Amino acid sequence: MDTYLGKLEESLEEMTDSQIKEVGGAILGIDERCANGQYGNMVDDEKLSEASAPESESIRLLATALAACLVSVVSVYIVNLLKLPSSAEVIAIAASTLITTIVSYGKKAAGKMEAIRGLIGS
């Protein structure tokens, strides 16, 4: 999904107005599918195959997700060990996921966070 949207963003500079309208339609389609809870089917398979992610990116994403889960479990264990309030678990999970992502993606993680911040209007 990220690769698909990234390729769309890269090609916006060279697109005509009608092509940009098509991109807008695709984004609206993704929005509608998200609103309907179709998270595994946000983009048609044919469009995803056009923008397939490099194999190394898929492996990196999987490794990052597994590492984030492991670090989150350890951080929750430490919160419980220190007898901190249960609300600290949420902070520990968020922080450990953010730190794991930054370690895994380096400078790319900051760019992705900026893109997300731009999308939500912060």
Side-chain angles (χ1 to χ4, degrees):
M1 185 69 199
D2 181 55
T3 304
Y4 172 72
L5 291 175
K7 288 192 184 254
L8 282 178
E9 183 181 7
E10 289 173 5
S11 61
L12 279 176
E13 297 284 328
E14 303 162 2
M15 289 185 176
T16 64
D17 287 344
S18 63
Q19 289 172 321
I20 292 174
K21 286 180 184 178
E22 287 179 32
V23 170
I27 292 172
L28 284 175
I30 292 169
D31 184 45
E32 287 174 9
R33 290 178 181 185
C34 282
N36 293 330
Q38 298 174 329
Y39 303 112
N41 189 25
M42 289 191 283
V43 178
D44 297 330
D45 290 336
E46 62 190 39
K47 291 185 181 186
L48 276 181
S49 65
E50 294 170 8
S52 60
E55 190 64 33
S56 62
E57 280 299 311
S58 300
I59 293 170
R60 179 191 268 184
L61 179 62
L62 177 63
T64 302
L66 291 174
C69 289
L70 179 64
V71 173
S72 295
V73 167
V74 170
S75 65
V76 168
Y77 176 76
I78 292 171
V79 165
N80 290 327
L81 189 66
L82 297 175
K83 297 184 181 348
L84 296 173
S86 61
S87 60
E89 290 177 358
V90 175
I91 296 169
I93 291 170
S96 60
T97 303
L98 181 64
I99 290 169
T100 305
T101 304
I102 289 172
V103 167
S104 178
Y105 283 95
K107 292 181 180 181
K108 283 185 176 180
K112 297 294 181 191
M113 285 186 268
E114 282 297 317
I116 291 170
R117 206 170 65 153
L119 287 174
I120 61 174
S122 296

